[in-house]
Amino acid sequence: MDYRVLSSVSKSIAPFSLLLLLYIFPAADTTAANTTYKAFNLSTVTFEEGYSPLFSDFNIERSPDDRSFRLLLNKFSGSGVISTEYYNYGFFSASIKLPAIYTAGIVVAFYTSNADTFEKNHDELDIEFLGNVNGQPWRFQTNMYGNGSVSRGREERYRMWFDPSKDFHQYSILWTPKHIIFYIDETPLREINRHPAMGGDFPSKPMSLYATIWDASSWATNGGKAKVDYKYEPFATELKDLVLEGCIVDPTEQIPSTNCTDRSAKLLAQDYSNITPERRKSMKFLGKDTCTILIVMITLECVIVQSERDLFRDSGRLRQKMKFGGSHSHSQSHRKHRPGRSSRRRNKVAGGASKSGRRGSAAAAM
């Protein structure tokens, strides 16, 4: 509730009425709201504690308390952030609010990846939002991509049952040695259980967490027919309730800084690691799109965009050159300039890399 409004109202109403208002709209526990994600009772982190700019830091706006940030897309650039550390399994979460009005051609992604370290056999877990034209809802998809395997990579697309541009919703990725679960709020959206037949294709190498917004006009909406309209810029997506739970590792040496066996056991013991009958019932009735993409097959109900099918056949997922990065792949410029874990930590201590250096990296990726 806006307490400025309450203050002005209090001057013109009786004290008893004010007490009644406070009873109906009790004061929020601001401490808990700022430090704990209530749905799964997890501690949150500030931007400084968990993230670094990935590209175009001039389009990243951090809140005064550093517990939320906005990623902007304008005619100059998109923007993105990356976790300061690499994790070997974990629970990664954020409350996200998407841009409104005309969002065609825009992709917002919240995902884990190690493509910068393992270019030929990388792992990736994606939550992606695809923008749309006026009056049409955002589309939403998940992806699991393991060990560079085309045969295991796949995307599932869903119909959203709410408007993600009106309110914040919590989006989470659980990644354990046994399974992967994608969540919206406390509702499990998708579960991938590790099976012996998967072999090394189950994601198991250290990954970083990313959040990006970028121009994907060439494919994101109606097969590229509807493109980003910059008369509506800037497009902003906001993230808060930032959760980074997992075992921190060095991806090159793969030497854990804590006991990863214990941390994995702790993850598996958490409430979010088990899909209860009630949650599974909710999961069953989610509106999955008939255009779920599996390997190179697209169901007959779909309007097939041949260019997207060709891209998917070649790579196991919808790879595409993108303006200023994104979740599908990073340009060689990003790989060349992006710091490793230890240098990212040094940047934190030294106050971060210079804006000119990050601008140069972003410009090189165009």
Side-chain angles (χ1 to χ4, degrees):
M1 182 177 181
D2 190 337
Y3 286 91
R4 292 173 297 180
V5 174
L6 184 58
S7 176
S8 64
V9 171
S10 66
K11 296 177 181 178
S12 59
I13 63 176
F16 176 79
S17 299
L18 178 58
L19 289 173
L20 179 61
L21 280 174
L22 289 173
Y23 175 78
I24 297 172
F25 301 105
D29 181 350
T30 55
T31 301
N34 285 335
T35 60
T36 303
Y37 165 39
K38 295 181 180 179
F40 291 119
N41 194 31
L42 290 172
S43 297
T44 61
V45 299
T46 63
F47 186 98
E48 183 70 20
E49 290 169 335
Y51 290 89
S52 294
L54 176 64
F55 63 99
S56 302
D57 63 327
F58 50 88
N59 268 351
I60 301 170
E61 297 179 349
R62 293 160 61 172
S63 65
D65 66 0
D66 210 33
R67 291 196 170 274
S68 66
F69 61 92
R70 296 205 313 160
L71 298 177
L72 305 182
L73 166 67
N74 54 32
K75 61 185 177 182
F76 301 106
S77 173
S79 54
V81 300
I82 183 173
S83 62
T84 309
E85 306 287 1
Y86 292 82
Y87 298 87
N88 195 19
Y89 306 115
F91 185 84
F92 312 103
S93 185
S95 290
I96 303 174
K97 187 177 181 181
L98 299 178
I101 312 177
Y102 188 93
T103 58
I106 298 172
V107 170
V108 174
F110 183 76
Y111 65 106
T112 64
S113 178
N114 50 33
D116 61 328
T117 305
F118 305 98
E119 296 184 19
K120 295 182 179 180
N121 61 335
H122 85 280
D123 305 312
E124 194 168 313
L125 299 172
D126 300 321
I127 294 177
E128 294 175 312
F129 307 92
L130 310 181
N132 221 326
V133 296
N134 279 344
Q136 298 299 316
W138 279 84
R139 293 169 299 152
F140 174 80
Q141 63 189 33
T142 62
N143 184 64
M144 187 279 286
Y145 193 67
N147 204 34
S149 173
V150 173
S151 63
R152 302 295 177 192
R154 77 181 211 175
E155 293 181 347
E156 270 191 9
R157 191 170 292 179
Y158 313 85
R159 294 188 182 96
M160 304 191 80
W161 59 98
F162 55 87
D163 185 345
S165 68
K166 289 189 179 297
D167 298 297
F168 284 93
H169 288 270
Q170 196 84 13
Y171 302 91
S172 307
I173 301 171
L174 170 67
W175 171 43
T176 79
K178 295 184 177 181
H179 65 332
I180 296 160
I181 303 176
F182 295 91
Y183 279 99
I184 296 182
D185 299 320
E186 288 196 55
T187 300
L189 189 69
R190 179 180 181 186
E191 180 181 28
I192 302 168
N193 290 303
R194 190 170 194 168
H195 190 276
M198 298 179 75
D201 294 344
F202 185 88
S204 57
K205 297 184 293 296
M207 291 194 277
S208 301
L209 180 72
Y210 298 76
T212 59
I213 183 171
W214 49 282
D215 183 331
S217 291
S218 60
W219 65 270
T221 308
N222 297 334
K225 294 179 181 178
K227 303 184 184 301
V228 175
D229 188 341
Y230 285 103
K231 75 179 181 183
Y232 296 104
E233 69 167 293
F235 303 96
T237 187
E238 187 171 356
L239 295 88
K240 64 179 184 177
D241 303 327
L242 312 173
V243 176
L244 293 168
E245 289 279 343
C247 187
I248 296 171
V249 297
D250 185 320
T252 56
E253 300 178 3
Q254 297 196 32
I255 298 176
S257 56
T258 59
N259 190 319
C260 285
T261 301
D262 290 347
R263 294 301 296 268
S264 294
K266 182 179 178 181
L267 275 176
L268 289 166
Q270 299 300 314
D271 175 58
Y272 50 70
S273 287
N274 300 289
I275 300 181
T276 63
E278 293 77 13
R279 287 177 183 163
R280 196 166 294 280
K281 185 176 180 180
S282 299
M283 184 180 184
K284 181 179 178 181
F285 290 101
L286 286 178
K288 288 190 178 182
D289 199 310
T290 55
C291 295
T292 293
I293 303 173
L294 174 60
I295 312 303
V296 296
M297 296 187 300
I298 304 179
T299 59
L300 296 177
E301 294 87 351
C302 292
V303 176
I304 297 175
V305 179
Q306 189 61 42
S307 60
E308 289 191 4
R309 168 176 273 188
D310 292 342
L311 286 167
F312 198 77
R313 179 184 295 113
D314 292 342
S315 65
R317 54 169 293 134
L318 289 172
R319 288 183 181 272
Q320 182 58 283
K321 289 183 179 179
M322 60 194 72
K323 183 178 180 181
F324 292 101
S327 65
H328 292 156
S329 62
H330 294 289
S331 69
Q332 290 299 323
S333 296
H334 278 165
R335 288 177 180 147
K336 185 185 300 181
H337 290 90
R338 191 190 130 181
R341 180 182 75 91
S342 59
S343 60
R344 276 188 256 160
R345 296 180 83 179
R346 286 197 299 271
N347 285 343
K348 287 289 187 182
V349 174
S354 69
K355 287 186 178 182
S356 59
R358 284 193 290 265
R359 283 174 184 256
S361 177
M366 290 187 68

